[in-house]
Amino acid sequence: MLRQVAERFREISEGKVSLARFGGDEFAALGRFTSDQAAADFADELVTTARRPFRIGSRDFAIGATVGYTRRQNASDSVDDLMRKADIALYRAKESGRGRAIAFEQQMEREVRERRLLEADLREAFEFQKLSIEFQPIVEARSGKVASSEVLVRWDHPTRGEIPPDVFIPIAEHAGLILPLGDWVLERACSVAATVPELNSVAVNLSPVQFLEPNLVDNIASILERTGFPAERLVLEITESVFLKDVGSATDKLQQLRDLGIKISLDDFGTGYSSLSYLRQHRFDKIKIDKSFVAEIGERSDGLAIISAVIALAHNLGLEVTAEGVERQFQVDALRTLGCDMMQGYYFGRPDPNPMQITNISKEDWEERSPSTAPRNPNLRSVS
Ligand code: C2E
Ligand code: MG
Ligand code: MG
């Protein structure tokens, strides 16, 4: 394979660019280009030529290449400087989807530095137990009662204030911190929730990196054992990206987790590939409609149409539906009318460090609302 790749690179480099293999599957190219465009064209050519399948024996392999590159702008730039910049651009290219070429830009260096600082701070915060968790209520559409809760991790940075998990979870994933961090969240959530019987169930988010870890199931089983939290009260929220990175074990893992009694919820439905085949292939218990669709209720006519279609589909597959990001009364009414089972959002309550605080929210005029069309016991529906 390496020889074939090198051969293709050589064909397009011949006479103008020197090539090297750095080790593993990394190559480097060094050449003189008369313009940014010429350099970009060459980088794109590398990507294009690696995109065609490679034949080894009687099999075809699709591998692809990702390129980061830079041009020498300052006479003082050493080869090391150039390599470092190309590497930063490569990192960016990989992050933004692979199979493409991206040029180094000055601001990338600042971002990398920024990210490293944050990563160091995160390590420290984790080590000194400065992270915390909060619970947000999930309310049953029919009764308006709190039926479950979602656990959300929090980081209050000493100088920068609250850093959202959307920012620091990817950093933790990249820094190899997500496994201990994820375990900590799960253990903390289970041990707190074990003391609050009023909280029927607790949903914990699982990063795809955690999900792909070979020991996942044993690990979770031992956390449940240590904390004495019943598996039946635990929900794990995963996103579709799990299946994109999957090497074939996702189906088994989901089954093993469900065998333990844990429920599986598909988070942020509608934002990824929203592949219907995932819904059919894998046994989930619930899906969560992403808040971006809920935000469109009353704003875009197709917002409601999508939600209504997703609810119908989920119910036909025997899945319970939660709508995320419910902030307004008219969204509550629309979602109840459409038969949504559960709702979560600021309308009912913000995430709170004290789980007792969220078990008792009640909206007095609940009964006077437009009636809910949610089926009475969504768990009893079976797939036909
Ligand atoms: P998510 O799992 O979809 O969590 C829901 C997010 O929506 C939370 O954001 C929550 O605070 C926010 N939210 C709840 N109600 C409303 C509302 O009415 N309006 C709006 N605009 N937002 C609302 P948060 O806490 O910032 O978390 C963001 C994401 O970070 C989560 O999205 C989840 O993917 C990830 N995350 C949070 N905690 C963990 C964790 O412990 N482990 C992992 N792997 N990921 C986590
Ligand atoms: Mg979630
Ligand atoms: Mg979500």
Side-chain angles (χ1 to χ4, degrees):
M1 174 74 81
L2 284 168
R3 249 188 240 138
Q4 287 193 35
V5 172
E7 194 46 51
R8 281 196 202 168
F9 286 170
R10 194 155 30 213
E11 275 165 24
I12 58 173
S13 310
E14 208 72 87
K16 41 180 186 178
V17 173
S18 337
L19 276 178
R21 176 176 158 233
F22 263 26
D25 56 357
E26 280 204 3
F27 291 86
L30 182 70
R32 279 183 197 282
F33 295 92
T34 50
S35 65
D36 287 352
Q37 190 56 50
D41 289 345
F42 178 72
D44 284 337
E45 235 183 311
L46 290 170
V47 172
T48 313
T49 193
R51 205 172 274 154
R52 282 183 289 123
F54 292 86
R55 174 152 284 234
I56 295 178
S58 58
R59 286 186 60 190
D60 285 334
F61 293 85
I63 51 167
T66 309
V67 178
Y69 66 97
T70 187
R71 291 190 74 209
R72 191 169 187 234
Q73 262 124 14
N74 315 319
S76 62
D77 269 356
S78 66
V79 174
D80 283 346
D81 291 329
L82 292 178
M83 284 308 298
R84 191 176 44 79
K85 289 178 179 176
D87 214 44
I88 289 173
L90 176 61
Y91 175 77
R92 175 57 55 87
K94 283 182 174 166
E95 209 181 30
S96 59
R98 296 174 175 270
R100 60 174 66 188
I102 287 187
F104 172 79
E105 286 165 35
Q106 211 58 52
Q107 113 272 347
M108 288 180 189
E109 203 150 34
R110 272 195 301 279
E111 285 164 18
V112 167
R113 217 175 302 135
E114 181 79 354
R115 205 180 157 106
R116 278 212 198 100
L117 288 176
L118 216 49
E119 184 184 314
D121 289 351
L122 180 60
R123 268 181 208 290
E124 188 175 300
F126 180 61
E127 207 167 306
F128 291 94
Q129 302 193 13
K130 294 292 197 285
L131 302 185
S132 60
I133 55 170
E134 291 187 341
F135 296 80
Q136 187 179 28
I138 299 177
V139 166
E140 192 185 43
R142 226 165 217 297
S143 62
K145 299 218 165 68
V146 177
S148 180
S149 62
E150 179 171 7
V151 171
L152 297 155
V153 65
R154 294 292 178 251
W155 179 20
D156 191 7
H157 189 283
T159 56
R160 299 174 195 220
E162 281 285 342
I163 304 203
D166 285 334
V167 171
F168 72 83
I169 292 289
I171 293 179
E173 287 174 340
H174 186 71
L177 252 180
I178 192 66
L179 297 182
L181 196 158
D183 282 355
W184 178 81
V185 170
L186 194 60
E187 178 137 9
R188 180 99 192 105
C190 291
S191 59
V192 172
T195 65
V196 187
E198 295 87 344
L199 267 189
N200 294 336
S201 70
V202 171
V204 178
N205 293 284
L206 220 53
S207 138
V209 180
Q210 280 174 280
F211 189 80
L212 294 178
E213 224 272 314
N215 286 330
L216 174 83
V217 179
D218 288 344
N219 190 21
I220 290 179
S222 68
I223 290 177
L224 289 172
E225 204 176 291
R226 273 203 298 281
T227 54
F229 190 64
E232 291 68 27
R233 286 174 63 198
L234 180 62
V235 180
L236 294 175
E237 297 194 357
I238 59 171
T239 56
E240 280 172 300
S241 52
V242 157
F243 304 108
L244 299 180
K245 299 186 183 158
D246 177 36
V247 282
S249 61
T251 316
D252 284 352
K253 273 188 186 152
L254 287 177
Q255 194 53 50
Q256 288 167 12
L257 290 169
R258 296 184 83 229
D259 288 346
L260 288 176
I262 295 170
K263 309 246 175 355
I264 307 289
S265 182
L266 188 60
D267 205 353
D268 302 342
F269 190 77
T271 56
Y273 288 74
S274 306
S275 159
L276 300 183
S277 72
Y278 294 143
L279 286 184
R280 265 227 317 243
Q281 257 171 50
H282 305 284
R283 296 300 310 273
F284 303 106
D285 300 281
K286 312 156 187 264
I287 65 174
K288 297 184 85 170
I289 299 180
D290 190 68
K291 50 180 172 286
S292 55
F293 296 101
V294 175
E296 280 174 2
I297 296 179
E299 273 172 25
R300 282 180 53 163
S301 56
D302 51 1
L304 266 188
I306 291 174
I307 293 178
S308 149
V310 170
I311 292 175
L313 172 79
H315 282 173
N316 276 319
L317 290 169
L319 304 168
E320 184 189 284
V321 183
T322 306
E324 294 183 309
V326 180
E327 296 180 354
R328 317 272 298 272
Q329 167 88 55
F330 67 84
Q331 295 169 333
V332 175
D333 294 339
L335 288 163
R336 290 184 90 213
T337 309
L338 290 177
C340 183
D341 304 288
M342 303 280 173
M343 293 184 267
Q344 175 183 2
Y346 299 158
Y347 179 82
F348 301 100
R350 295 196 173 245
D352 193 298
N354 180 358
M356 284 306 288
Q357 208 60 45
I358 66 161
T359 56
N360 236 342
I361 47 167
S362 79
K363 300 268 176 188
E364 281 142 42
D365 56 347
W366 196 257
E367 292 306 325
E368 290 147 34
R369 301 278 180 68
S370 54
S372 163
T373 61
R376 268 190 196 278
N377 192 343
N379 295 325
L380 287 182
R381 263 189 318 266
S382 63
V383 189
S384 51

